[in-house]
Amino acid sequence: MKRILPVLSAVIFLSCNVFATNFVKISRMTNSIQIKTPFGEVETYKNLDDIPEIIYGTKILAAGGTAEIKIFNTASITLEKNQEIVIMKHPVTKEIEVMKTESKTKSPQNAQIKVWLADHVSASFGSDTKVTFFERYPSIIFGVKKGEAVVKGTGGKSYTLVHGESYEAKQNIVR
């Protein structure tokens, strides 16, 4: 009985941080996607309504076409055919972490993952990069934890972000 209580307490405490439903959602896909859970289960989905809640640590592969993944309803990641990412959440900072994974058998034509921040700033990152997203209303903060990312900010100015740097994109809240 003494061993069950700590385990049960941990499950209840950590269960609220397992699902990414409020922050990460697949919003569009052209053909099919594969979702691999942290438990190793792989499922292919062709309909948005059939996709279950996303769990942190999940890999998402745009198997048959393109897919768009919304993060905090402020940023969106576009996966081209055969591109795959893994989505995690930092336990302390609560940032959403995204990293591109390489498939050994499937080689995408475009190696860069495309990102839109606050509907007007574009960014991209490759397979050697881990990026973070954090919402501080009305802004989305796009950061780099590993590697480098390129951001094309307002006014057409381009920034190369490296480890520890971030870019803040403000939402237009007057729409």
Side-chain angles (χ1 to χ4, degrees), residues 36 47 49 63 71 80 90 100 112-113 129 132 150 155 167:
K36 182 178 181 180
N47 188 354
D49 297 331
I71 298 178
E80 301 294 330
H90 193 279
K100 181 181 179 197
Q112 296 290 312
I113 300 287
T129 305
T132 61
V150 176
Y167 182 88

Side-chain angles (χ1 to χ4, degrees), residues 3 23-24 30 60 62 66 71 84 88-91 94-95 109 112 114-115 131-132 149 153 172-174:
R3 292 183 186 176
F23 305 121
V24 179
T30 59
I60 301 171
T66 61
I71 298 178
E84 183 179 51
M88 300 161 286
K89 183 178 182 181
H90 193 279
K94 306 297 185 202
E95 295 172 322
Q109 293 177 3
Q112 296 290 312
K114 296 174 189 151
V115 180
V131 297
T132 61
N172 182 359
I173 58 174
V174 184

Side-chain angles (χ1 to χ4, degrees), residues 7 15 34 40 43 49 57-58 64-65 67 82 117-118 160 168:
V7 172
S15 66
Q34 280 186 355
E43 291 289 331
D49 297 331
T58 296
N82 295 329
L117 305 167
T160 300
E168 182 175 351

Side-chain angles (χ1 to χ4, degrees), residues 55-73:
I55 300 172
Y56 291 117
T58 296
K59 291 183 180 181
I60 301 171
L61 170 70
T66 61
E68 184 176 305
I69 300 145
K70 284 282 205 187
I71 298 178
F72 293 117
N73 286 325

Side-chain angles (χ1 to χ4, degrees), residues 3-13:
R3 292 183 186 176
I4 294 175
L5 188 57
V7 172
L8 185 59
S9 299
V11 169
I12 291 171
F13 175 73

Side-chain angles (χ1 to χ4, degrees), residues 20-164:
T21 305
N22 294 336
F23 305 121
V24 179
K25 183 176 180 170
I26 299 170
S27 59
R28 182 182 60 83
M29 62 183 184
T30 59
N31 193 343
S32 66
I33 61 166
Q34 280 186 355
I35 295 179
K36 182 178 181 180
T37 67
F39 313 112
E41 302 164 352
V42 179
E43 291 289 331
T44 302
Y45 300 95
K46 293 188 178 204
N47 188 354
L48 283 175
D49 297 331
D50 296 338
I51 298 172
E53 294 180 331
I54 304 294
I55 300 172
Y56 291 117
T58 296
K59 291 183 180 181
I60 301 171
L61 170 70
T66 61
E68 184 176 305
I69 300 145
K70 284 282 205 187
I71 298 178
F72 293 117
N73 286 325
T74 312
S76 64
I77 297 174
T78 303
L79 298 178
E80 301 294 330
K81 185 176 182 179
N82 295 329
Q83 287 184 329
E84 183 179 51
I85 60 171
V86 62
I87 297 178
M88 300 161 286
K89 183 178 182 181
H90 193 279
V92 176
T93 63
K94 306 297 185 202
E95 295 172 322
I96 304 294
E97 300 177 344
V98 177
M99 193 167 70
K100 181 181 179 197
T101 58
E102 291 292 332
S103 174
K104 292 173 180 49
T105 58
K106 300 175 184 174
S107 173
Q109 293 177 3
N110 184 358
Q112 296 290 312
I113 300 287
K114 296 174 189 151
V115 180
W116 280 99
L117 305 167
D119 292 329
H120 66 278
V121 174
S122 66
S124 62
F125 65 94
S127 60
D128 59 342
T129 305
K130 181 189 279 188
V131 297
T132 61
F133 298 87
F134 186 73
E135 187 176 49
R136 190 178 311 135
Y137 188 79
S139 299
I140 183 82
I141 292 124
F142 177 74
V144 176
K145 282 191 111 173
K146 176 184 164 195
E148 69 178 35
V150 176
V151 176
K152 292 181 183 163
T154 54
K157 191 170 180 182
S158 214
Y159 304 93
T160 300
L161 304 178
V162 293
H163 173 75

